[in-house]
Amino acid sequence: MDHQQTEADPPKGGLSHCAVDAITAVVFFVAGVIMMVDNFRIGISWAADGPESGYFPFHIGLIICIACVVVFLKSLFGKRRNREVFVTWDRFRLVLLVLVPTAVYVLLIQLLGIYVASAFFMAAFMRWLGKIPWIKTILISVGVNILLFWMFEIQFLVPLPKGPLEALFGY
Amino acid sequence: MDELSALIHGFGTVLSWYNLGMMFIGLVLGVIIGVLPGLGGPNGVAILLPLTFTMPPTSAIIMLSCIYWGSLFAGAITSILFNIPGETSSVATTFDGYPLAQQGRAGNALTASFTGSFVGALSGVLLITFLAPMVSKFALRFGPPEFFAVFLLTFCSFVGTDKKTPFKTIISMMLGFGLAAIGMDTVSGQLRMTFGWSELLRGVDFLVVVIGLFGIGEILVSMEEGLKFEGKSGRINLKVVLQTWKELPKYWVTLIRSTVVGCWMGVTPGGATAASFMGYGLAQRFSRNGHKFGTGEIEGVVAPETAAHASGTSALLPMLALGIPGSATAAVLLGGLMIWGLQPGPLLFVEQKEFVWGLIASMYLGNFVGLIIVLSTVPLFAAILRIPFAIVAPIIIVVCAIGAYSVNNAMLDVWFMLLFGVIGYVLKKLSYPLAPMILALVLGDRMEDAFRQSMLGPGTGLHVFWSNGLVGTITTLALIMLFWPLVSLIWRRIRSASNGSKNGDVTAPHHPSP
């Protein structure tokens, strides 16, 4: 399968639309196989009182696999293949510029609590990606989070993850 | 008229200060959510759902359904003023809406689209008021096999009506079923697909998936498109409104046609997006000035908006009467129902009269109040889009994270949200439809329960689904829907063969059987 995917690559940089399509189909195919294997373990046959627990999900996995094969074949050999580049590198850079900070942010939530992490995240995002002046950045990021704190902790009493700073204030 | 007295009783429920307040908050939030890129009906409702756990269910659903109406109204604002559809259902509105705004007639376009929306929604609510009780009464006779057959019909018609990518619809749907199956099996108590991971015991919550797919995924897509908002001014004054309203009755045929299309597409899960395109397409084909469509015709704004709203509203009909949602947002609302401790299904009309009729009454009122709100405050909401994306995006991400965390108070869910954000980004770019996944995820357990309950007892097998006339009809209908493209292809082949093949090339969708 691998050499077919690289074959579908356009000459210059970046995966083509149909290559990504094929890769996605392979990934989902694997997910379907995992589903089938795990449910086969539980039992997929017909017990005395009807189908066993694995029956339904096993067949779901089976259908995923079949549909994935069709999508995979269509993406490689279909007539109306989309050979355009899936995403150009500088566009993808923009996506990563959001995705990576968001991942760091989720990590920070665990360490600092959601409010402090959010304030840092918003400030960093606004300052670096939006080139927004410092004063505005700080006012908005701190202000929004104080508002959120007031809404969730005080008004709706929804407990959200809190860190050292909130502990300092006795929350 | 049982329905009317029940409805009047429902109005009594709605007309309390608390519920009216919730309605107002819901509508305003809905419009904001609809205007913002990256937030839409499904994930807006999903994020706010955890906040309603402590509210009385009636007030909660009034607020959440009003968010839905608000976001439907708001889709038109961005389409017309910025040429950017805020919701996928308002893509067709940009075709004529933006040209109108360029000609300086944004006010007329907005008024026409809001009024069209209102008419569409009102017809949807009327349909719900009178048809839903009947459907639910009929459905009281349903046993597990019938319910399974109806579920099957819903999902098959999703596949059958998707002309472009039926197999992607199947994959998306089946992934939803797979995700729903993770965790403890409700019948036998066995663990499924947890791979020894105790955090997976409770399964993957649909709210987290919705927030990831529609929230984070949408942000990533918008980021890639590099949003620049250059909007037209959207001032509306009373004169423009009255002038447009005077013009609207001319388009009564379009209004009726779009309403019918929308209601049909809403009840069968065709979705508001398909309905709006169909409404536009039909209007273009049958209207006297159809050839001018795309250059700024009021009719071209009315047609898709009316259909989208009619469809969005009537998507709640099967949700209320049968417990089967007709759209992604309706699916999230249905999930909410289960969280509030209400059992969705035909019994809802019997056991939870106050809730159901309160909701229906709130639809009348909510759409009316919504119309007034959007007509009077468009410039305010349009101003939101002029806030730099670098400020809006992180706030949306933070709100999504809070929403995902508060579903189960679990950090793992926030990571899942991120994961589904990436998945959503890729799937959206590969034009996988996402609504079937949400529907399958919400309904998965119930569909499986229905299946297994029909299989209880000795001597059962798949023939149970043809054991009596009713269930047999529904199951057969489901299979016909599933293979519909194939059926229509064969039908056209036969016809063109007998007609001496005038135009031999059949442009039917290619759909090999699985």
Side-chain angles (χ1 to χ4, degrees):
Chain A
M1 279 178 215
D2 277 345
H3 69 278
Q4 280 171 336
Q5 276 161 27
T6 43
E7 212 175 73
D9 279 359
K12 59 172 197 292
L15 288 168
S16 69
H17 230 282
C18 48
V20 179
D21 215 355
I23 295 168
T24 315
V26 172
V27 171
F28 287 149
F29 185 85
V30 172
V33 170
I34 294 174
M35 273 177 78
M36 282 162 70
V37 170
D38 192 65
N39 287 294
F40 186 75
R41 186 180 55 82
I42 302 170
I44 55 161
S45 55
W46 217 264
D49 58 344
E52 288 182 312
S53 323
Y55 180 86
F56 198 79
F58 175 83
H59 286 86
I60 298 290
L62 188 67
I63 299 174
I64 291 184
C65 288
I66 296 170
C68 281
V69 169
V70 178
V71 171
F72 181 75
L73 292 177
K74 263 190 170 176
S75 70
L76 289 188
F77 306 111
K79 274 181 207 149
R80 270 172 289 168
R81 250 176 306 170
N82 187 348
R83 284 174 182 282
E84 280 166 43
V85 177
F86 182 70
V87 53
T88 55
W89 178 242
D90 22 313
R91 289 277 176 103
F92 191 59
R93 209 177 57 94
L94 285 174
V95 175
L96 283 183
L97 273 178
V98 180
L99 195 60
V100 174
T102 309
V104 174
Y105 162 60
V106 178
L107 199 69
L108 275 182
I109 293 178
Q110 275 163 319
L111 302 174
L112 299 176
I114 206 161
Y115 300 107
V116 179
S118 304
F120 277 125
F121 170 66
M122 282 168 56
F125 201 111
M126 283 195 262
R127 184 66 207 145
W128 284 321
L129 292 179
K131 306 274 185 296
I132 288 158
W134 272 112
I135 297 178
K136 214 172 165 189
T137 303
I138 291 167
L139 275 181
I140 292 176
S141 58
V142 173
V144 167
N145 278 287
I146 289 174
L147 185 76
L148 288 174
F149 185 81
W150 174 79
M151 211 169 102
F152 285 91
E153 298 291 329
I154 297 167
Q155 283 300 308
F156 284 92
L157 299 173
V158 179
L160 293 174
K162 289 181 285 289
L165 185 71
E166 288 90 344
L168 211 66
F169 288 103
Y171 276 96
Chain B
M1 291 298 263
D2 270 355
E3 286 85 9
L4 280 185
S5 66
L7 185 63
I8 288 165
H9 192 77
F11 272 110
T13 314
V14 177
L15 290 172
S16 72
W17 283 114
Y18 183 67
N19 285 344
L20 283 178
M22 283 298 141
M23 173 185 285
F24 186 76
I25 293 174
L27 283 168
V28 173
L29 275 177
V31 179
I32 294 174
I33 284 168
V35 166
L36 287 175
L39 281 177
N43 66 327
V45 175
I47 289 169
L48 288 160
L49 195 53
L51 289 183
T52 64
F53 289 170
T54 50
M55 284 186 202
T58 313
S59 313
I61 191 112
I62 288 176
M63 185 178 105
L64 293 182
S65 61
C66 281
I67 291 179
Y68 187 23
W69 315 139
S71 73
L72 279 172
F73 272 120
I77 300 179
T78 53
S79 297
I80 292 171
L81 295 183
F82 295 86
N83 203 16
I84 295 164
E87 304 277 314
T88 46
S89 61
S90 49
V91 172
T93 314
T94 59
F95 300 160
D96 274 282
Y98 190 63
L100 274 170
Q102 281 175 319
Q103 295 160 22
R105 296 177 65 206
N108 299 64
L110 285 167
T111 311
S113 90
F114 293 150
T115 317
S117 301
F118 177 70
V119 172
L122 202 63
S123 329
V125 186
L126 280 171
L127 192 73
I128 291 179
T129 311
F130 295 102
L131 197 61
M134 267 153 49
V135 173
S136 78
K137 214 173 275 172
F138 179 71
L140 280 176
R141 301 193 343 225
F142 284 13
E146 282 84 358
F147 266 111
F148 179 79
V150 174
F151 284 129
L152 195 67
L153 178 63
T154 313
F155 287 108
C156 287
S157 50
F158 250 122
V159 179
T161 49
D162 189 336
K163 292 209 170 68
K164 277 181 286 189
T165 54
F167 287 97
K168 288 185 171 173
T169 309
I170 293 178
I171 294 177
S172 158
M173 189 183 290
M174 291 301 152
L175 285 175
F177 279 125
L179 287 170
I182 293 175
M184 200 188 287
D185 171 25
T186 44
V187 180
S188 69
Q190 266 179 316
L191 298 183
R192 295 193 297 197
M193 293 182 279
T194 57
F195 308 104
W197 205 4
S198 61
E199 290 228 49
L200 276 180
L201 263 181
R202 60 169 182 267
V204 180
D205 202 286
F206 74 97
L207 291 172
V208 177
V209 179
V210 170
I211 293 171
L213 288 180
F214 290 87
I216 305 295
E218 194 73 48
I219 287 275
L220 294 178
V221 173
S222 339
M223 201 62 202
E224 190 203 311
E225 284 162 359
L227 287 185
K228 286 197 301 280
F229 297 120
E230 287 163 24
K232 304 284 166 205
S233 118
R235 263 178 226 297
I236 295 186
N237 53 36
L238 199 62
K239 209 180 111 203
V240 175
V241 173
L242 292 177
Q243 184 196 339
T244 316
W245 277 353
K246 231 181 265 167
E247 200 182 336
L248 277 181
K250 270 200 306 197
Y251 307 129
W252 63 277
V253 187
T254 304
L255 276 170
I256 290 174
R257 194 192 304 119
S258 287
T259 303
V260 172
V261 168
C263 287
W264 172 252
M265 298 292 271
V267 173
T268 65
T273 310
S276 63
F277 277 105
M278 237 170 111
Y280 186 84
L282 287 175
Q284 190 173 25
R285 196 157 144 200
F286 291 111
S287 165
R288 211 174 300 130
N289 37 14
H291 58 281
K292 276 194 265 171
F293 270 42
T295 58
E297 277 291 304
I298 291 284
E299 203 177 348
V301 176
V302 173
E305 278 297 311
T306 310
H309 247 214
S311 148
T313 312
S314 42
L316 292 190
L317 194 160
M319 183 199 110
L320 283 174
L322 300 170
I324 296 171
S327 72
T329 315
V332 179
L333 286 175
L334 184 89
L337 237 61
M338 292 192 250
I339 294 171
W340 300 319
L342 302 175
Q343 188 61 41
L347 273 176
L348 205 62
F349 269 87
V350 183
E351 286 173 349
Q352 302 288 344
K353 273 201 163 93
E354 196 181 331
F355 173 83
V356 172
W357 288 104
L359 170 62
I360 294 177
S362 85
M363 291 183 197
Y364 284 99
L365 213 57
N367 275 299
F368 183 67
V369 177
L371 178 68
I372 295 171
I373 290 180
V374 285
L375 275 179
S376 54
T377 55
V378 167
L380 214 63
F381 290 114
I384 292 175
L385 268 182
R386 295 195 173 85
I387 301 173
F389 193 58
I391 296 178
V392 174
I395 294 178
I396 294 175
I397 294 175
V398 166
V399 170
C400 285
I402 292 175
Y405 179 85
S406 55
V407 176
N408 284 315
N409 290 335
M411 222 24 236
L412 182 69
D413 283 346
V414 185
W415 287 108
F416 270 146
M417 170 198 83
L418 197 62
L419 175 71
F420 281 106
V422 176
I423 295 177
Y425 166 72
V426 175
L427 293 192
K428 200 161 264 174
K429 290 213 69 179
L430 293 175
S431 62
Y432 276 83
L434 296 179
M437 191 191 292
I438 302 305
L439 238 62
L441 184 55
V442 172
L443 294 179
D445 283 338
R446 289 175 57 222
M447 181 158 173
E448 191 185 345
D449 285 349
F451 178 75
R452 286 162 79 172
Q453 277 161 15
S454 359
M455 292 300 159
L456 284 179
T460 53
L462 293 181
H463 59 82
V464 168
F465 299 118
W466 279 276
S467 60
N468 63 50
L470 181 62
V471 67
T473 316
I474 304 174
T475 316
T476 313
L477 206 64
L479 291 180
I480 292 175
M481 281 309 288
L482 179 61
F483 295 108
W484 181 247
L486 206 65
V487 172
S488 66
L489 184 77
I490 294 169
W491 175 243
R492 267 190 256 177
R493 279 271 156 83
I494 293 171
R495 265 196 20 192
S496 67
S498 62
N499 280 356
S501 79
K502 213 161 39 182
N503 36 3
D505 191 3
V506 182
T507 48
H510 178 62
H511 185 276
S513 93

